[in-house]
Amino acid sequence: MAVSKRVLVLCETSSTHGRDIIKGINHFGLEHDWSVNFEQRGRFDTTAKRFFPWNADGIISRTYHKSMHKVLRESNLPLIELFGSPYTGTDNEVAIDEKSLAIMIVDHFLERGLRRFAYYCMEDAPFFHERRNCLLSYLNQKGYDCDIFPASWRNSDYFFPQWREKYRIQVTQWLKGLPKPIALYAAIDNHAQIILNICREENIRIPQDISVVSVGNDEWLCLLHRPTISSVDASGYTIGYTAARLLQDKMDGTAVPHEKIRVPASFLAVRQSSDFYSIGDPDIEKALFFIRDNACNRIQISDVANSVDLSERTLYRGFKKYLNRTPQEEILRIQMETAQRFLRDTTLPIISIARRTGFSTSEYFVRAFKRECGMTPNIYRKKCRFQFEPGEE
């Protein structure tokens, strides 16, 4: 009988991302009969010393402090580090795939007709630089430029500076100077909160002037604001599960890959801050909102055309001109977006979701979902509900 491994987990519980990582670690630990030592932690806690001497077999940590990293390294235990930092002199071994974030966010904006882009980040961590560079690279492939906020600030020894009111002037001037309408990628949800608060005070409309998407999907924060914040889930669970699997290999003496493991982004939760179409043609914009509100009611192209008093041919030409897709493709896109939301946020059976999204049979719905989303509805639900092993097909 295999001996149970004793694992020390040092990961903040003060963020949704940290808690999701812990869920993934716990899932793997339950499957492999780990004994886990863990406590509630803030992001910048430095209490690692008091865990030693603890007879651990391995450690999973998100290390923000040089002193804490030194203690962990001196333990000579197998270690998986999930936060790369120039201060600690290490790199994270499992991380979100920044390219997948850029693709998901840019494509979301392009689908809504936005063609001007901006990126806001006030911090100086290496992964934020990578986040920006992946955005710039993907936009360059698509033929678009990006307006980058020109400054970052540090206080103390951290690249997570506390917001100061003196920063507001520069951010406000930058936001006012952006061409409108524009799509803004905020590096994390806290940054989106800063943008929304300033825009509200300066009467800059969200999403009509600035459409905002961030990363983290911290629901309590995203739903706290009006408008609510669109955000990408950063796959914390999968990162945690993958890190645990990697630590198991290290503890077993199995060779592990030297390169960083990249985990794709899970999904984009569309909320009010980016639920906007910028077309420049009032009839096509009105048709898009009609589709958004009625796509799951088995509408036909003739219904869309009648809603804006256009011929079907003129409607088709307008969609191809401004969106490079047909009205039927837009209807299907909204159906899939709605289905994904049902799969993530409810326990409704597949047959009920099929009916609620306008499909005549569950079989037709499953085929369409797999074709459009690259996986079956059940796999998508498991992926988003943390009930799967990463890599499951």
Side-chain angles (χ1 to χ4, degrees), residues 122-137:
M122 64 170 286
E123 300 171 10
D124 203 30
F127 70 87
F128 285 128
H129 296 308
E130 185 181 6
R131 188 158 294 179
R132 176 199 62 205
N133 292 339
C134 286
L135 171 66
L136 293 175
S137 176

Side-chain angles (χ1 to χ4, degrees), residues 29-261:
L30 290 172
E31 292 176 346
H32 294 79
D33 194 31
W34 281 4
S35 175
V36 177
N37 192 359
F38 167 78
E39 69 168 19
Q40 300 283 340
R41 294 178 58 80
R43 176 178 285 172
F44 300 116
D45 287 356
T46 56
T47 55
K49 281 187 177 180
R50 66 188 185 79
F51 285 100
F52 296 99
W54 185 63
N55 188 25
D57 297 298
I59 305 169
I60 300 175
S61 176
R62 278 169 58 85
T63 310
Y64 294 84
H65 292 275
K66 187 181 296 185
S67 59
M68 182 173 168
H69 180 73
K70 184 174 183 289
V71 169
L72 298 180
R73 287 297 180 192
E74 288 176 348
S75 74
N76 293 317
L77 293 171
L79 170 66
I80 300 297
E81 177 55 54
L82 296 180
F83 188 83
S85 163
Y87 302 140
T88 61
T90 189
D91 197 8
N92 46 352
E93 297 175 70
V94 185
I96 190 70
D97 182 354
E98 297 292 345
K99 292 181 182 178
S100 73
L101 287 175
I103 292 169
M104 189 175 288
I105 292 174
V106 170
D107 287 355
H108 168 75
F109 285 135
L110 291 175
E111 286 170 353
R112 282 157 173 74
L114 289 157
R115 299 295 184 266
R116 290 188 287 255
F117 298 88
Y119 175 77
Y120 174 74
C121 181
M122 64 170 286
E123 300 171 10
D124 203 30
F127 70 87
F128 285 128
H129 296 308
E130 185 181 6
R131 188 158 294 179
R132 176 199 62 205
N133 292 339
C134 286
L135 171 66
L136 293 175
S137 176
Y138 187 60
L139 285 174
N140 183 62
Q141 291 178 31
K142 293 287 188 178
Y144 299 106
D145 295 322
C146 186
D147 197 316
I148 305 294
F149 181 68
S152 61
W153 301 287
R154 290 184 185 174
N155 69 312
S156 183
D157 294 326
Y158 308 128
F159 36 67
F160 286 99
Q162 184 176 350
W163 174 258
R164 302 280 193 255
E165 281 303 304
K166 64 182 180 181
Y167 304 152
R168 184 178 297 271
I169 295 175
Q170 187 176 2
V171 180
T172 301
Q173 291 174 344
W174 179 69
L175 291 172
K176 285 184 172 180
L178 293 174
K180 314 293 191 303
I182 195 166
L184 189 147
Y185 180 167
I188 54 176
D189 293 334
N190 285 333
H191 294 171
Q193 174 182 236
I194 291 168
I195 296 299
L196 265 64
N197 284 339
I198 293 177
C199 286
R200 183 171 184 173
E201 293 173 6
E202 298 297 328
N203 296 316
I204 300 172
R205 299 174 301 168
I206 303 286
Q208 296 92 331
D209 296 327
I210 302 178
S211 185
V212 179
V213 173
S214 60
V215 177
N217 198 30
D218 223 330
E219 285 198 350
W220 71 269
L221 177 57
C222 292
L223 299 177
L224 179 67
H225 291 269
R226 293 294 179 272
T228 53
I229 301 172
S230 296
S231 185
V232 179
D233 183 274
S235 300
Y237 170 87
T238 309
I239 289 172
Y241 190 100
T242 304
R245 185 164 56 190
L246 197 62
L247 180 63
Q248 182 71 47
D249 288 341
K250 283 191 176 183
M251 292 188 297
D252 290 341
T254 304
V256 298
H258 294 293
E259 64 275 8
K260 183 186 300 187
I261 297 175

